[in-house]
């Protein structure tokens, strides 16, 4: 609580005094004292009710009430085994807050995500820190009390939840997904359930998930991460883009993947949550949280590579076409696009004349034919010349005989 509420204070006196004051008003109580003498404080029933009245109108859910039940035989407080895990969750939130990732009201615990079969997958911690470049992040805090394959199952459930349709999705989309489940890959995220609960992430993919390991060894963490990477590949790994330029496009499609990052609570405490302490599954080395969540080989690279490949393809096709362009057998010049089309298109080739000559030479041919035709027409229409003398004399005698008769 001290690190979460007063991350800049070097001592916890202010937080301790505040808790003591709340205890005097019966709003909080000490549930247990850990081995390192840190106290675990929880809300009383009265404090829980006041917290709900304060926070729920602001859209902030609080965790369930921790009832103060005791074992009738031993007198020990029941449910106290959850304390170490709860402390790890709170400590993780405190380290995120100390690094400027999330404000006090931007953290929620035990948030349920209901699957299609009715199962509810609860996230240990949800942080919303848009000002830090992390609009939403789900966190699972593991003290290595769970088998690695159980974490893979959790990852699968978050992946399945991210593929559910919203209740108000249009009927055509609902019917399509019911008849062909893989059709969800082509449904915009705006029509999915997760977008009714969380804001856009600002990146490709589903809601990002972080596994924070606490109170364990480096070897155990390494083994667990190896299982997550191998057995959970279907859920976190990007796909190849469906493109015509497979060799030119090396970008990966993250749209259907859950971005998964891992770290340890020890690293967060030692270096701070804002440092390069996060490793993205499928990558080597550690990065800052925003860098780990970004996809430098994703959509932006795809659009750039696709545009370059498309431009190169157009250039290559143009060069191939130019190499095939016909050359006039009469003058040696290349055909224009118009003349090339005239000589090859079925609807115009029959009237294109000599198919081996260019447009200018074809125009010359037409001009010569038209000139010859015009000359022939003029010659046919011209008078035949003066009559011979004996024909004129014969005509006069015939006319004289006709008058006399």
């Amino acid at each position: 609580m001290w690190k979460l509420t007063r991350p800049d204070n070097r001592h916890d006196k202010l937080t301790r005094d505040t808790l003591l004051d709340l205890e005097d008003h019966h709003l909080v109580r000490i549930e247990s004292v850990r081995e390192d003498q840190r106290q675990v404080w929880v809300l009383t029933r009265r404090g829980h009710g006041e917290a709900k009245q304060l926070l729920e109108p602001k859209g902030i859910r609080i965790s369930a009430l921790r009832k103060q039940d005791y074992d009738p035989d031993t007198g020990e407080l029941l449910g106290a085994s959850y304390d170490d895990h709860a402390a790890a969750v709170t400590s993780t939130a405190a380290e995120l807050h100390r690094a400027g990732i999330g404000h006090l009201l931007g953290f929620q615990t035990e948030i349920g995500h209901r699957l299609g079969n009715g199962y509810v997958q609860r996230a240990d911690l949800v942080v919303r820190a848009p000002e830090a470049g992390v609009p939403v992040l789900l966190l699972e805090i593991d003290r290595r009390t769970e088998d690695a394959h159980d974490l893979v199952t959790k990852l699968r459930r978050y992946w399945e939840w991210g593929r559910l349709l919203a209740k108000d999705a249009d009927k055509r989309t609902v019917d399509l997904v019911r008849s062909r489940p893989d059709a969800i890959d082509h449904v915009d995220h705006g029509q999915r359930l997760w977008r009714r609960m969380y804001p856009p992430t600002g990146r490709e993919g589903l809601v990002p998930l972080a596994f924070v390991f606490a109170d364990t060894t480096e070897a155990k963490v390494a083994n667990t991460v190896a299982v997550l990477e191998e057995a959970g590949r279907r859920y976190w790994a990007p796909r190849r883009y469906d493109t015509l330029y497979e060799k030119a496009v090396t970008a990966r499609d993250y749209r259907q993947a859950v971005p998964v990052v891992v770290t340890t609570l020890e690293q967060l405490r030692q270096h701070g949550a804002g440092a390069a302490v996060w490793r993205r599954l499928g990558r080597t080395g550690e990065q800052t949280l925003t860098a780990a969540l970004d996809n430098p080989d994703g959509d932006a690279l795809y659009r750039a590579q696709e545009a370059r490949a498309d431009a190169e393809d157009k250039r290559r096709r143009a060069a191939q076409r130019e190499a095939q362009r016909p050359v006039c057998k009469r003058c040696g010049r290349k055909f224009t696009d118009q003349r090339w089309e005239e000589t090859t298109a079925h609807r115009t080739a029959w009237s294109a004349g000599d198919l081996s000559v260019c447009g200018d030479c074809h125009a010359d041919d037409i001009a010569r034919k038209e000139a010859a035709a015009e000359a022939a027409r003029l010659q046919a229409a011209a008078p035949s010349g003066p009559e011979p003398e004996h024909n004129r004399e014969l005509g006069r005698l015939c006319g004289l005989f006709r008058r006399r008769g």
Side-chain angles (χ1 to χ4, degrees):
M1 291 295 293
W2 159 40
K3 290 184 178 181
L4 182 60
T5 57
R6 290 291 185 268
D8 297 328
N9 287 13
R10 299 186 61 184
H11 303 285
D12 66 348
K13 184 178 185 305
L14 179 61
T15 302
R16 186 174 65 250
D17 290 345
T18 302
L19 288 171
L20 291 173
D21 183 57
L22 292 173
E23 184 183 33
D24 290 340
H25 290 80
H26 307 289
L27 298 175
V28 299
R29 63 180 174 83
I30 298 175
E31 182 169 277
S32 64
V33 179
R34 304 185 67 193
E35 293 181 358
D36 59 2
Q37 300 304 307
R38 286 186 295 170
Q39 297 171 329
V40 177
W41 293 75
V42 298
L43 292 169
T44 63
R45 184 178 297 278
R46 177 181 174 184
H48 191 270
E50 291 195 11
K52 288 183 68 174
Q53 292 181 0
L54 175 66
L55 298 177
E56 288 192 348
K58 299 179 180 180
I60 301 172
R61 296 172 55 189
I62 64 173
S63 58
L65 173 65
R66 302 266 297 167
K67 296 181 180 181
Q68 196 170 7
D69 296 330
Y70 295 89
D71 188 295
D73 297 325
T74 64
E76 293 183 358
L77 184 66
L78 297 175
S81 61
Y82 183 72
D83 294 342
D84 289 335
H85 183 265
V89 172
T90 304
S91 295
T92 299
E95 295 302 332
L96 290 168
H97 179 56
R98 189 159 66 96
I101 303 173
H103 55 83
L104 287 179
L105 299 182
F107 295 98
Q108 295 175 281
T109 59
E110 293 297 307
I111 300 302
H113 304 83
R114 186 176 297 277
L115 301 176
N117 60 6
Y119 183 88
V120 178
Q121 176 64 55
R122 296 189 179 277
D124 291 330
L125 182 66
V126 176
V127 59
R128 304 189 192 206
E131 71 286 345
V134 187
V136 60
L137 177 66
L138 311 181
L139 294 102
E140 288 288 336
I141 316 302
D142 178 39
R143 298 180 59 251
R144 290 307 298 121
T145 57
E146 294 182 272
D147 183 77
H149 288 280
D150 291 336
L151 301 186
V152 175
T153 300
K154 285 187 176 183
L155 171 56
R156 173 181 59 80
R157 289 171 182 158
Y158 284 118
W159 178 78
E160 290 175 347
W161 181 76
R163 293 167 66 83
L164 293 178
L165 284 175
K167 291 183 178 179
D168 59 352
D170 62 81
K171 185 177 183 303
R172 179 179 175 276
T173 301
V174 172
D175 292 342
L176 177 63
V177 173
R178 282 177 178 172
S179 63
R180 190 163 54 87
D182 63 332
I184 189 66
D185 290 349
H186 307 288
V187 175
D188 184 79
H189 286 267
Q191 293 196 62
R192 300 194 189 185
L193 176 62
W194 76 265
R195 279 297 311 279
R196 301 299 184 269
M197 190 168 177
Y198 298 119
T201 64
R203 302 172 176 90
E204 309 102 287
L206 305 176
V207 183
L209 174 65
F211 287 99
V212 179
F213 301 100
D215 306 323
T216 186
T217 64
E218 292 184 5
K220 288 183 178 180
V221 171
N223 291 336
T224 302
V225 172
V227 173
L228 276 171
E229 283 193 313
E230 184 60 31
R233 179 172 297 276
R234 178 184 179 187
Y235 314 118
W236 63 259
R239 308 174 182 178
R240 287 191 63 87
Y241 273 102
D242 184 12
T243 175
L244 297 175
Y245 313 111
E246 291 186 0
K247 293 183 178 180
V249 175
T250 61
R252 292 294 180 264
D253 185 355
Y254 288 88
R255 290 174 295 179
Q256 309 306 321
V258 177
V260 180
V261 294
V262 298
T263 189
T264 66
L265 184 54
E266 288 71 26
Q267 285 180 299
L268 297 181
R269 287 171 174 164
Q270 181 178 359
H271 304 289
V277 295
W278 305 85
R279 183 167 89 79
R280 175 81 170 260
L281 292 192
R283 300 180 188 173
T284 58
E286 295 172 328
Q287 301 173 283
T288 62
L289 181 56
T290 52
L293 293 176
D294 287 340
N295 302 313
D297 59 340
D299 180 65
L301 178 62
Y302 166 72
R303 285 186 276 109
Q305 290 181 331
E306 182 85 355
R308 286 197 297 268
D310 188 59
E312 176 61 24
D313 185 60
K314 288 180 179 178
R315 186 202 64 77
R316 180 182 57 79
R317 289 176 181 272
Q320 289 179 344
R321 175 178 170 80
E322 195 62 29
Q324 297 171 356
R325 186 180 294 275
V327 176
C328 181
K329 292 184 178 180
R330 186 178 302 167
C331 68
R333 287 180 293 185
K334 290 185 176 181
F335 282 27
T336 62
D337 289 342
Q338 180 180 354
R339 178 57 179 168
W340 193 359
E341 183 177 356
E342 287 177 353
T343 59
T344 54
H346 178 71
R347 66 181 184 279
T348 56
W350 65 273
S351 61
D354 187 351
L355 303 182
S356 66
V357 299
C358 65
D360 290 343
C361 291
H362 176 57
D364 291 343
D365 289 346
I366 294 176
R368 282 194 296 271
K369 290 180 179 179
E370 290 179 349
E374 180 65 15
R377 185 186 66 79
L378 293 176
Q379 184 177 3
S384 59
E387 290 185 77
E389 186 63 27
H390 68 278
N391 288 343
R392 288 199 297 271
E393 184 64 24
L394 180 60
R396 283 197 297 271
L397 291 175
C398 291
L400 178 61
F401 293 141
R402 282 197 297 272
R403 286 195 296 272
R404 289 179 177 178

